[in-house]
Amino acid sequence: MIATIFFYLFAAVAIASAVMVVTARNPVHSVLFLILTFFNAAGLFLLLGAEFLAMMLVVVYVGAVAVLFLFVVMMLDVNFVELRQGMLKYWPIGAVVGLIVLGELALALVTWNINPNALVTAPVAAASGVSNTEALGLLLYTRYIYFFQAAGLVLLTAMIGAIVLTLRHKANVKRQVIADQVARSPATAVEIRNINPGQGI
Amino acid sequence: MNAWFETYPWLFPTFVIVGILAGVLISTAVLIYGERKIWAAVHMRRGPNVVGPWGVLQPIADFLKFILKESMVPDGANKGVFLIAPLVSVILAISAWAVIPVNDGWVVANINVGILYLLAVSSLGVYGIIMAGWASNSKDPFLSALRAAAQMISYEVSIGFVIVTVLLCAGSLNLTDIVHAQDSKWGMFGWYWLPLLPMFVIFFISALAETNRPPFDLAEAESELVAGYMVEYSSSLFLLQFLTELVAILSMSSIAAVLFLGGWLPPFNVAPFTWVPGLVWFLIKAWAVVLLFSLTKVIVPRYRYDQLMRLGWKVFLPISIFYVVLVAGVLVTMGWLPK
């Protein structure tokens, strides 16, 4: 009963905030609604009993990826009037793309035979008493270890690519040498002189 | 009392929820007064001494002052986000307490993924700050929000790896199970602060950075950024921001007490120590960490921002990754892995 109420609550807020992501005028508000959508999706995962996935969604997407979005969007200097002007010119293309996607979705959903049992039986935790954190770990690190490593390599490549694209070593720039700074002692930094009154150095 | 708890199964959880909530809010009042007295003692000043005997009513005076003043929203502010931001911060800060066990079984939600929940809630905490800084539509708050967000994200990474070493030793993500795993015949020397001493130090320093506390309070460096992301906030809204910081300090100290100092366990499993209730041990440990937080604020000068980033990414991160590998290796070769 409570689970049903929460399901409809999370689902309704997720859909409403997803609509707001597209319709909000201010891009920062869009990102904030996107975060609300992620958060409600995590709530739906919790209701399914996938607590590990729910927490990972919040930690990775909400905690890291969406913060980057927010940084980028806040830094952008967006001219809203200019955006509005483009709207009129591009809406036919947008409408065509939307219609094609809608048609494809309709085709797929109409021909999709849903197993009637799948709707009745909600997924339950494995009876063996293994929590889903352990179950995921066992699968990922045994059966799918090569795929897991391959995914890691793809991410590593992307990271190196991003660093190579943005890192520029300018010549003639004085850089910090941390070791020198740490090794500096009062003896090398300060000179104490005894100056008589009325005389300069 | 116990008979009542058996007849009404909802009674005990209600007690725990109300007790923890009330405890946290009372502790923030104690923290306001206690910290100012501690700083004053280190500075050889008197500290608050006017309101009530020895100034103990100072937190109440502060509270009244906050709520009775006029609430102002700047004209250029993004009003909705500006008003929601402190609420987001304070709700997230308090909701972290849902999984922290203060005694055996005295926890609001004893969930399987307690540690991940804490990480999730603390990573969401960044939003309260960014929203506050951006919605203020003013330079200093925005710069400060960017600093705070970058700092919190950087140190979350090393806190994550520190927690992984604890999880490897305890074999569970549940905070109650982690405390039980520290219950050994060596008493307080079996708690994880000693076997994982470097990790405890890194956790403590990262916790300072995560809660934007000195020496890492660059988000509110008053000499360069006025007072950080809450400059434009006044009255009750400022009270919520302030409350968030204090609750975050309390919950970080409690997490340190649970992960490294054995939670509610007595230091030795012999007679005089076992008579003391577990809640008292938990409070002693958590407040000891809070005391360390306060002393650090008053003795250590502020870091520079690039030093802060270097410390997080180039010092703590490699050390903590190395320790994850080391701890895992030792546990596997010695056959000490928890079942």
Side-chain angles (χ1 to χ4, degrees):
Chain A
M1 178 59 197
I2 294 177
T4 320
I5 295 174
F6 271 98
F7 170 78
Y8 282 110
L9 181 73
F10 285 140
V13 176
I15 292 172
S17 48
V19 170
M20 290 304 290
V21 173
V22 188
T23 54
R25 297 192 161 215
N26 191 327
V28 173
H29 291 175
S30 286
V31 179
L32 291 176
F33 277 116
L34 184 67
I35 292 159
L36 190 61
T37 317
F38 282 149
F39 196 68
N40 281 283
L44 291 176
F45 270 134
L46 265 189
L47 288 179
L48 282 173
E51 71 264 13
F52 182 76
L53 279 183
M55 292 305 151
M56 278 298 122
L57 187 70
V58 175
V59 171
V60 175
Y61 274 91
V62 180
V65 177
V67 172
L68 283 183
F69 282 3
L70 205 55
F71 269 175
V72 172
V73 170
M74 280 176 177
M75 298 292 202
L76 284 180
D77 191 16
V78 187
N79 189 345
F80 296 107
V81 182
E82 233 171 64
L83 279 180
R84 288 296 133 60
Q85 287 170 344
M87 186 84 172
L88 272 181
K89 207 164 78 185
Y90 290 115
W91 80 263
I93 304 173
V96 169
V97 172
L99 277 178
I100 291 172
V101 173
L102 188 69
E104 281 175 353
L105 273 180
L107 281 177
L109 289 179
V110 166
T111 55
W112 189 9
N113 286 322
I114 297 170
N115 181 1
N117 292 327
L119 293 175
V120 183
T121 54
V124 285
S128 56
V130 177
S131 70
N132 63 45
T133 314
E134 275 178 273
L136 272 173
L138 281 176
L139 267 184
L140 266 186
Y141 290 106
T142 53
R143 191 160 165 196
Y144 296 112
I145 179 70
Y146 295 118
F147 295 102
F148 185 72
Q149 296 284 351
L153 280 179
V154 170
L155 283 178
L156 182 67
T157 318
M159 192 176 90
I160 293 172
I163 294 172
V164 168
L165 283 177
T166 51
L167 185 70
R168 286 193 182 81
H169 270 297
K170 285 179 195 154
N172 307 325
V173 170
K174 205 174 176 191
R175 295 192 165 272
Q176 286 191 43
V177 185
I178 302 292
D180 287 359
Q181 291 182 6
V182 174
R184 204 157 171 244
S185 68
T188 57
V190 184
E191 186 184 356
I192 297 172
R193 287 201 183 184
N194 198 2
I195 300 167
N196 292 324
Q199 294 177 347
I201 296 173
Chain B
M1 203 68 181
N2 278 327
W4 280 19
F5 287 148
E6 278 162 25
T7 3
Y8 304 105
W10 49 267
L11 197 61
F12 183 66
T14 316
F15 265 151
V16 172
I17 292 171
V18 173
I20 286 183
L21 203 54
V24 169
L25 293 178
I26 293 170
S27 301
T28 50
V30 176
L31 186 61
I32 293 177
Y33 175 75
E35 280 205 305
R36 286 169 72 176
K37 276 290 186 192
I38 291 167
W39 302 334
V42 177
H43 289 156
M44 299 174 88
R45 293 184 283 115
R46 278 167 187 273
N49 62 348
V50 176
V51 193
W54 306 290
V56 287
L57 298 181
Q58 186 66 41
I60 296 172
D62 284 352
F63 175 73
L64 286 176
K65 201 165 69 183
F66 279 134
I67 57 170
L68 291 179
K69 287 204 170 172
E70 184 188 356
S71 245
M72 279 188 288
V73 180
D75 206 28
N78 198 309
K79 293 201 180 52
V81 181
F82 186 84
L83 295 175
I84 291 172
L87 288 176
V88 169
S89 305
V90 81
I91 289 172
L92 286 170
I94 291 180
S95 59
W97 279 88
V99 295
I100 298 177
V102 295
N103 197 350
D104 200 359
W106 293 18
V107 55
V108 176
N110 193 10
I111 56 177
N112 281 339
V113 287
I115 281 282
L116 287 177
Y117 174 85
L118 283 177
L119 280 179
V121 167
S122 76
S123 64
L124 280 175
V126 181
Y127 286 108
I129 292 173
I130 305 185
M131 282 161 75
W134 176 78
S136 299
N137 196 9
S138 162
K139 276 187 199 118
D140 286 344
F142 186 57
L143 281 175
S144 149
L146 290 182
R147 279 187 176 191
Q151 174 177 340
M152 288 171 80
I153 292 172
S154 310
Y155 279 82
E156 227 158 59
V157 182
S158 46
I159 284 192
F161 278 109
V162 169
I163 288 176
V164 169
T165 58
V166 173
L167 297 183
L168 281 171
C169 297
S172 171
L173 290 160
N174 182 311
L175 288 163
T176 308
D177 289 348
I178 289 173
V179 175
H180 280 305
Q182 298 180 52
D183 197 357
S184 68
K185 60 176 184 286
W186 294 294
M188 62 182 292
F189 301 109
W191 303 341
Y192 291 148
W193 67 272
L194 190 59
L196 299 174
L197 188 61
M199 292 294 98
F200 181 48
V201 174
I202 288 184
F203 183 87
F204 179 73
I205 299 173
S206 304
L208 289 174
E210 183 77 9
T211 48
N212 289 330
R213 285 282 289 189
F216 307 117
D217 62 337
L218 290 138
E220 48 184 275
E222 65 275 356
S223 48
E224 18 182 329
L225 289 175
V226 193
Y229 47 89
M230 62 267 271
V231 173
E232 307 290 348
Y233 283 87
S234 57
S235 167
S236 313
L237 291 173
F238 178 76
L239 174 69
L240 292 182
Q241 302 269 27
F242 197 55
L243 189 65
T244 307
E245 295 215 332
L246 296 175
V247 173
I249 291 160
L250 291 172
S251 47
M252 267 301 177
S253 320
S254 312
I255 294 166
V258 166
L259 293 182
F260 291 101
L261 300 176
W264 63 81
L265 297 174
F268 298 102
N269 264 328
V270 288
F273 296 106
T274 46
W275 293 341
V276 180
L279 180 62
V280 175
W281 286 124
F282 175 81
L283 288 177
I284 291 175
K285 289 165 188 174
W287 280 99
V289 182
V290 172
L291 179 69
L292 278 181
F293 265 69
S294 306
L295 287 179
T296 317
K297 166 165 181 153
V298 90
I299 357 192
V300 183
R302 183 180 292 139
Y303 256 52
R304 224 169 47 212
Y305 200 71
D306 61 313
Q307 292 174 329
L308 169 87
M309 282 297 160
R310 180 180 165 269
L311 186 70
W313 288 106
K314 293 188 179 171
V315 180
F316 283 175
L317 188 60
I319 293 179
S320 50
I321 291 179
F322 169 74
Y323 250 82
V324 170
V325 177
L326 183 75
V327 169
V330 168
L331 288 177
V332 169
T333 41
M334 305 301 278
W336 289 343
L337 271 180
K339 290 291 165 291

